Amino acid sequence: MKITLNKFALFITASCLSVSVYASDSHYVPGIEGVKGSVVPPPGVYYKGYVVNYKADENEALPPDSEVSVTALASRAIWVTPQKLLGGDLALEAIVPLMQTDLKVGGQNVDERTGLGDLYVGGVLGWHGDRWDAVTGIGYWAETGDYDSNRFASPGKGYDSVMLTLGGNFKLNQQGDINLSALSRYEMPNGDNLNDELIIEWGLSKSYGLLDLGLVGYNTFETGDGDEERNALGLSIGYFSPPNLLGGDIAVYKEYSNKQTFEGEVIRASLTKVF
């Protein structure tokens, strides 16, 4: 009977994990952008690849020895068109994520999945001033990913959503080598009992030629009936090589004072290629 009761308790715990694994009802993963994340690049075609690893073993709602590990490889295609709209540069983008999730509860393997996540398509407008940049946009997360309602670690969400973008970048000195950037996302998932979420990513950076060093972070807040919250601080380093039209950056984040979700660490690396 003890074994049966333990299995039943594990089943009850796991049945509440759809939010815990993904940390929210949103598709967007905070920590993807940081330093100068609100600056739209010049007209051209860009590829940006992200590798993100999230590991966490702290969750007040789950028993000890519970942990989640998520590794995502996201490919993002960006076309900054020569078209001007409302005085801003028009950019179109698409993101295809590949995800691997491993979930353990009470030291027992609950689920492990690898597959394609939901597709994102969208557009933004970017403006540029002498000491500032601004961006706004709208996009759509399509219900195209691998989803199984009986699997807690499904790469897809099982629903679609609309995401709004608004951000700005400010040069804090005359030389323009100290920048403060903030990029907000407001995601509205389509479905019953799902919560909208405000996500803010920010970065304070100092440039040394083509090298950027930064203090980065993110803060997320559910709206409506949700009270989940995530907060993180981290460091980043990035470099761009003009001869190769190639850039990359690495960032490490530590979450703190999260509410109603896992709390852990994020390691993110990205590669940008200009065509």
Side-chain angles (χ1 to χ4, degrees):
M1 176 64 79
K2 182 178 180 180
I3 295 177
T4 302
L5 288 176
N6 285 343
K7 287 184 177 180
F8 179 74
L10 179 62
F11 172 77
I12 295 299
T13 301
S15 67
C16 302
L17 284 176
S18 59
V19 172
S20 299
V21 173
Y22 291 102
S24 73
D25 296 330
S26 298
H27 292 80
Y28 188 80
V29 178
I32 291 293
E33 303 293 348
V35 168
K36 301 177 183 177
S38 296
V39 180
V40 175
V45 176
Y46 301 80
Y47 168 80
K48 194 162 188 176
Y50 304 87
V51 178
V52 183
N53 177 256
Y54 177 76
K55 288 186 177 180
D57 58 6
E58 297 182 32
N59 192 322
E60 295 179 352
L62 299 180
D65 297 325
S66 298
E67 62 182 57
V68 62
S69 175
V70 182
T71 301
L73 172 63
S75 294
R76 179 183 181 191
I78 308 168
W79 177 33
V80 183
T81 74
Q83 179 68 41
K84 293 285 187 179
L85 183 61
L86 300 177
D89 297 323
L90 174 64
L92 306 175
E93 61 179 341
I95 302 174
V96 179
L98 176 66
M99 302 177 62
Q100 180 184 51
T101 301
D102 184 7
L103 175 65
K104 296 180 181 179
V105 176
Q108 300 186 48
N109 293 322
V110 173
D111 198 9
E112 182 177 356
R113 294 292 305 275
T114 300
L116 289 175
D118 295 324
L119 170 70
Y120 176 79
V121 292
V124 300
L125 289 175
W127 294 269
H128 310 281
D130 292 336
R131 295 183 58 176
W132 61 269
D133 303 271
V135 63
T136 188
I138 186 171
Y140 175 70
W141 292 96
E143 188 182 343
T144 59
D146 181 10
Y147 174 73
D148 185 340
S149 61
N150 297 315
R151 301 292 296 272
F152 308 114
S154 292
K157 287 284 193 176
Y159 51 82
D160 58 354
S161 66
V162 173
M163 187 172 75
L164 307 177
T165 296
L166 180 65
N169 182 79
F170 304 93
K171 298 176 182 178
L172 301 183
N173 60 353
Q174 290 291 342
Q175 293 82 3
D177 57 357
I178 300 178
N179 283 256
L180 176 62
S181 181
L183 182 66
S184 66
R185 314 281 196 177
Y186 189 80
E187 189 169 339
M188 299 171 285
N190 180 26
D192 296 330
N193 302 316
L194 299 176
N195 293 302
D196 294 0
E197 186 175 31
L198 173 64
I199 301 167
I200 302 172
E201 300 172 285
W202 56 268
L204 175 63
S205 64
K206 175 70 168 71
S207 300
Y208 298 90
L210 299 173
L211 180 70
D212 284 324
L213 300 179
L215 175 68
V216 292
Y218 60 79
N219 309 91
T220 77
F221 311 91
E222 282 189 334
T223 63
D225 296 330
D227 58 358
E228 182 185 294
E229 182 178 324
R230 290 168 291 171
N231 304 280
L233 281 174
L235 299 172
S236 72
I237 181 171
Y239 180 79
F240 185 77
S241 171
N244 299 308
L245 297 179
L246 193 67
D249 72 273
I250 299 174
V252 179
Y253 296 82
K254 171 62 178 176
E255 293 183 330
Y256 64 93
S257 69
N258 287 10
K259 296 180 181 178
Q260 303 296 320
T261 185
F262 275 102
E263 185 172 306
E265 297 83 31
V266 176
I267 300 176
R268 181 257 297 158
S270 66
L271 178 71
T272 302
K273 174 61 180 174
V274 185
F275 294 94

